[in-house]
Amino acid sequence: MEKSIRLGTHQEAGALFGLHDENIKAIEKELKVKLTLRGESLKIKGGINNVRKAGGLIEYLLQAIRQGQSELGRADLLSLISEFKASGKKSDNAGKKFTDTIIDIPAAGLGRSSGSKLIGPKTKGQRQYVEAIKEYDIVFGIGPAGTGKTYLAMACAVDALKKQEVRRIILTRPAIEAGESLGFLPGDMYEKISPYLRPLYDALYDMMDAERIEKYLDNGIIEVAPLAYMRGRTLNDAFIVLDEAQNCTAEQMKMFLTRLGFDSKAVITGDITQSDLPGGAPLGLLQAQDILNKIEGIKFTYFGGADVVRHELVQRIIEAYDKAKSSQAH
């Protein structure tokens, strides 16, 4: 079978092919197709199913390039190839599923259309997570470190604010002492809790320019606060992200979930294998799973080692710990 895909410009072709054609070589090798550039057309030759998969992948990559993503990391490309490779006979729809979950974050801040940073799911688990966030009002993202739970949730929040689907973003996490007493730490209360909120700020500054963030923090469009500050409030027209939910007590989890107001969306992220609560059990998160997993409008999504997008050693470490835990259980 042969399929042709039209390329727009030389720059587009260059971004698609990669340095020394490494992207195209990887696609050829993994999907068992032959790719040839003839004029403005990229020819794909191979078995019918492989050509469909390669065509879906290339069309997805081209859309990302046309929306402003000029470079694609090696790890990202291999992850995408893996997804299209495993997509089965319905691979013509795979590209659509991926492009539906691209999150377009203007690099220069909200409200500007140029210089966008495209953020999208790199694994099947991440794609299901982003799809769930778009569809449900309350979504739980549960899984190990490095799976993009918080980062993708915050990207969806920024995207919703950009599209005026919400009026504000609220980012929160429990300030667990983790063996240190807050009372003995230097500074006022804000300075004491600031280190616990730092990861949220780090992700935020990766998506927006500092000047815009400071302006939004000043006027309340973006709020970053410890979970205790949510008590007694009703959060309307907001996108709320609760991070590190494995450190919530059962009472805190119930308190947070009942803060949701009209036209609001909440994403709760956590790792049930790690908790700084006394005894090490993620009580609030475990109880929420048991009580809420059949309630309409609430979605639980789960990540595994295959969804880790950090250094490849992180995935191996997680798998090793899971294996050791399984051995102890038996």
Side-chain angles (χ1 to χ4, degrees):
M1 180 182 175
E2 180 175 310
K3 179 176 181 176
S4 294
I5 296 178
R6 185 177 178 82
L7 303 182
T9 64
H10 291 299
Q11 290 84 357
E12 187 174 283
L16 175 65
F17 275 61
L19 185 65
H20 305 307
D21 297 343
E22 61 182 13
N23 293 349
I24 291 300
K25 289 175 182 175
I27 294 171
E28 285 183 325
K29 178 182 177 183
E30 297 297 327
L31 295 178
K32 295 179 171 50
V33 293
K34 178 66 177 175
L35 302 174
T36 309
L37 185 61
R38 293 180 181 172
E40 297 178 342
S41 293
L42 180 64
K43 306 286 185 183
I44 310 172
K45 291 184 180 179
I48 184 167
N49 212 27
N50 291 344
V51 169
R52 284 176 177 168
K53 291 178 182 181
L57 172 59
I58 289 168
E59 285 168 356
Y60 166 73
L61 294 174
L62 285 174
Q63 180 163 342
I65 291 166
R66 287 163 185 165
Q67 290 181 346
Q69 184 162 314
S70 58
E71 295 182 5
L72 184 72
R74 179 75 173 175
D76 291 348
L77 176 63
L78 292 177
S79 178
L80 286 170
I81 290 174
S82 228
E83 283 295 310
F84 277 85
K85 199 173 180 180
S87 60
K89 294 182 179 180
K90 295 183 179 179
S91 54
D92 280 343
N93 296 324
K96 184 177 186 301
K97 285 184 179 180
F98 274 103
T99 41
D100 283 348
T101 50
I102 288 178
I103 306 161
D104 186 9
I105 305 297
L110 296 175
R112 303 184 188 179
S113 58
S114 61
S116 293
K117 175 177 182 177
L118 295 176
I119 298 171
K122 298 178 175 65
T123 68
K124 182 179 179 180
Q126 289 187 348
R127 187 174 72 245
Q128 291 172 341
Y129 181 53
V130 172
E131 289 171 351
I133 290 173
K134 291 185 176 184
E135 184 177 350
Y136 293 86
D137 287 338
I138 296 179
V139 174
F140 286 79
I142 299 173
T147 49
K149 304 183 299 295
T150 304
Y151 195 84
L152 287 172
M154 291 182 64
C156 288
V158 173
D159 188 48
L161 185 62
K162 182 192 77 169
K163 293 175 180 175
Q164 298 184 334
E165 295 171 356
V166 296
R167 288 190 299 108
R168 55 183 173 153
I169 295 172
I170 298 173
L171 309 173
T172 185
R173 66 191 302 187
I176 291 294
E177 299 183 15
E180 293 183 353
S181 174
L182 289 176
F184 288 99
L185 294 176
D188 58 21
M189 181 52 69
Y190 177 80
E191 291 171 323
K192 291 176 191 289
I193 64 175
S194 185
Y196 296 102
L197 304 175
R198 189 72 255 167
L200 296 176
Y201 282 108
D202 290 343
L204 196 56
Y205 277 93
D206 195 36
M207 297 174 195
M208 300 170 61
D209 67 275
E211 183 180 348
R212 180 75 57 149
I213 292 171
E214 296 304 324
K215 178 182 176 183
Y216 283 171
L217 287 170
D218 287 342
N219 60 26
I221 292 176
I222 294 178
E223 178 182 351
V224 184
L227 181 59
Y229 285 32
M230 301 298 112
R231 192 174 299 278
R233 301 172 62 182
T234 300
L235 306 174
N236 294 315
D237 204 11
F239 195 118
I240 313 140
V241 178
L242 169 59
D243 190 32
E244 299 287 347
Q246 74 273 8
N247 289 331
C248 288
T249 64
E251 293 77 13
Q252 286 176 323
M253 180 64 74
K254 180 182 177 183
M255 178 273 291
F256 172 78
L257 292 172
T258 54
R259 299 308 94 204
L260 193 69
F262 293 106
D263 300 315
S264 288
K265 188 182 289 285
V267 180
I268 300 96
T269 73
D271 178 359
I272 57 175
T273 68
Q274 299 184 42
S275 177
D276 294 319
L277 290 173
L283 301 177
L285 197 51
L286 289 174
Q287 187 187 70
Q289 279 188 119
D290 293 339
I291 294 176
L292 306 176
N293 61 5
K294 293 183 180 178
I295 291 186
E296 186 177 352
I298 298 178
K299 180 69 173 178
F300 284 81
T301 59
Y302 297 90
F303 299 86
D307 297 305
V308 173
V309 291
R310 291 182 182 171
H311 194 289
E312 61 181 15
L313 280 176
V314 175
Q315 184 170 339
R316 295 179 194 170
I317 290 167
I318 290 169
E319 289 171 352
Y321 271 96
D322 286 345
K323 185 177 180 181
K325 185 176 180 180
S326 178
S327 298
Q328 290 173 359
H330 293 89

